[in-house]
């Protein structure tokens, strides 16, 4: 069978998908600046507002996309609600660790966590889905394990922030695949479920005068409202962009955000980055290079088979 020609329409979709995904990764890469701006506010209050103000954005996008029928069907399914509650809990844990880590000047560790995440996903796939790892993938995972070992031995403790971020997001991705709805519907369902305790907590803070939304300055109010857009917009951009791109393209692009976060942490936040961290990051970068090469080689073979 002859190879199918790339049509102008397909090329346009790929270009649009690339721009949407790039926008998402750039926003994620710049997110530490916003998290630093809210670092003086209580962590729980920031997370609560991050959830509550994501709801109207996610709902507006779903209505605009005309996908409300899928959402209505999802909320009538107890199984879907239960799985969404689990994924919502996992992503809220991930958000909490991320916001806290940046507030206490551990941004370098967050970058390492999101570098490790793709390799964690490979391990999760092998252990829970029975996916077979090729030699390059095994080598990449082994190098990542060595990097964690270096940090553990030199620092006399596990790099728990990096591991918690990587595994919580890896678990989120694994269970998120079980939701029988699209990413935008799933995100709205997750933040709706989380908004019940989040809104209750915000009301409690306001009623007791412990809040920064009503009782704080105008700047604090604006920053708390802004937690919604900085959370929802990149997630939704990624959701729409990923549908238009090949998995191999997304696989390479996912390193944009942690690289930006790493550079911001070291060059702008002036966080410590010594020989131990440099060694660990070098091992992780080598692991990711091997993993990416393996992924691209697999994609090329699949393309060749389809073209034959």
């Amino acid at each position: 069978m002859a190879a199918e020609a790339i049509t102008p329409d397909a090329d346009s979709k790929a270009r649009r998908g690339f721009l949407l995904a790039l926008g998402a990764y750039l926003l994620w890469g710049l997110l530490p600046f916003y998290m630093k701006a809210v670092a003086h506010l209580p962590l729980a209050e920031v997370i609560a507002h991050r959830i509550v103000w994501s709801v109207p954005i996610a709902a507006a996008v779903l209505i605009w996309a005309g996908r409300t029928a899928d959402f209505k069907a999802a909320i009538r399914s107890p199984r879907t609600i239960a799985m969404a509650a689990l994924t919502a809990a996992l992503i809220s844990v991930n958000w909490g660790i991320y916001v806290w880590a940046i507030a206490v000047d551990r941004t370098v560790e967050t970058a390492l966590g999101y570098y490790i995440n793709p390799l964690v996903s490979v391990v999760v796939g092998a252990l829970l889905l029975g996916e077979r790892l090729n030699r390059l993938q095994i080598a990449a995972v082994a190098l990542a394990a060595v990097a964690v070992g270096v940090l553990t031995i030199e620092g006399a403790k596990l790099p728990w922030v990096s591991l918690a971020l990587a595994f919580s997001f890896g678990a989120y991705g694994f269970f998120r695949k079980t939701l029988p709805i699209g990413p935008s519907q799933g995100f709205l369902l997750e933040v709706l479920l989380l908004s019940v305790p989040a809104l209750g907590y915000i009301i409690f803070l306001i009623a007791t005068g412990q809040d920064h939304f009503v009782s704080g300055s105008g700047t604090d109010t604006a920053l708390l409202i802004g937690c919604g857009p900085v959370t929802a917009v990149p997630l939704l951009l990624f959701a729409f962009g990923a549908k238009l791109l090949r998995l191999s393209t997304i696989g390479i692009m996912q390193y944009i955000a942690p690289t930006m976060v790493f550079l911001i942490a070291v060059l702008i936040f002036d966080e410590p980055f010594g020989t131990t961290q440099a060694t660990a990051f070098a091992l992780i970068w080598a692991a990711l290079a091997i993993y990416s090469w393996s992924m691209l080689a697999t994609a090329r073979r699949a393309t060749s088979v389809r073209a034959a």
Side-chain angles (χ1 to χ4, degrees), residues 8-293:
D9 184 56
D11 186 58
S12 174
K13 285 183 178 179
R15 185 163 52 249
R16 188 164 68 252
F18 175 81
L19 292 174
L20 288 169
L22 179 62
Y25 284 120
L26 291 176
L27 289 173
W28 277 327
L30 294 171
L31 189 57
F33 288 122
Y34 201 93
M35 294 300 102
K36 276 292 185 185
V38 298
H40 65 287
L41 300 172
L43 173 63
E45 188 172 9
V46 171
I47 298 300
H49 281 276
R50 200 173 180 185
I51 293 164
V52 167
W53 295 108
S54 291
V55 173
I57 298 172
V61 169
L62 201 65
I63 293 169
W64 171 78
R67 303 303 300 269
T68 54
D70 296 344
F71 181 77
K72 290 175 182 177
I75 60 177
R76 289 194 291 267
S77 167
R79 181 182 180 278
T80 300
I81 294 294
M83 290 307 302
L86 174 60
T87 57
L90 287 168
I91 198 61
S92 62
V93 168
N94 185 271
W95 287 349
I97 295 170
Y98 180 82
V99 174
W100 173 83
I102 292 180
V104 297
D105 301 325
R106 298 177 73 165
T107 310
V108 168
E109 294 178 61
T110 70
L112 180 63
Y114 288 114
Y115 273 130
I116 294 174
N117 176 247
L119 302 175
V120 167
S121 297
V122 170
V123 174
V124 169
L127 295 178
L128 300 182
L129 298 177
E131 297 176 355
R132 296 186 62 181
L133 303 183
N134 60 40
R135 292 180 181 178
L136 289 178
Q137 290 172 328
I138 293 172
V141 171
L143 279 176
V146 171
V148 171
V150 167
L151 290 171
T152 302
I153 293 170
E154 291 297 324
K157 60 182 179 180
L158 273 172
W160 72 268
V161 169
S162 303
L163 293 175
L165 286 172
F167 278 93
S168 61
F169 200 76
Y172 171 75
F174 172 77
F175 288 109
R176 184 65 179 76
K177 289 182 179 180
T178 65
L179 281 178
I181 50 177
S184 55
Q185 299 97 315
F187 177 61
L188 176 58
L189 183 55
E190 287 166 349
V191 291
L192 270 177
L193 291 172
L194 290 171
S195 68
V196 176
L199 188 57
Y201 180 66
I202 291 171
I203 293 171
F204 166 77
L205 290 178
I206 293 173
T208 57
Q210 302 177 62
D211 71 295
H212 293 80
F213 182 67
V214 174
S215 305
S217 66
T219 300
D220 286 347
T221 301
L223 285 171
L224 288 170
I225 294 174
C227 285
V230 301
T231 298
V233 171
L235 277 169
L236 293 167
L237 285 175
F238 176 78
F240 286 108
K243 290 196 299 184
L244 302 174
L245 290 173
R246 285 189 276 183
L247 186 60
S248 57
T249 304
I250 290 293
I252 298 300
M253 291 182 73
Q254 69 185 322
Y255 306 131
I256 294 172
T259 300
M260 290 176 65
V261 171
F262 167 72
L263 293 174
I264 289 169
V266 175
L267 301 179
I268 299 177
F269 293 167
D270 199 27
E271 292 190 11
F273 188 75
T275 303
T276 300
Q277 290 89 347
T279 301
F281 268 81
L283 289 167
I284 291 295
W285 289 330
L288 291 175
I290 293 171
Y291 167 73
S292 299
W293 177 264

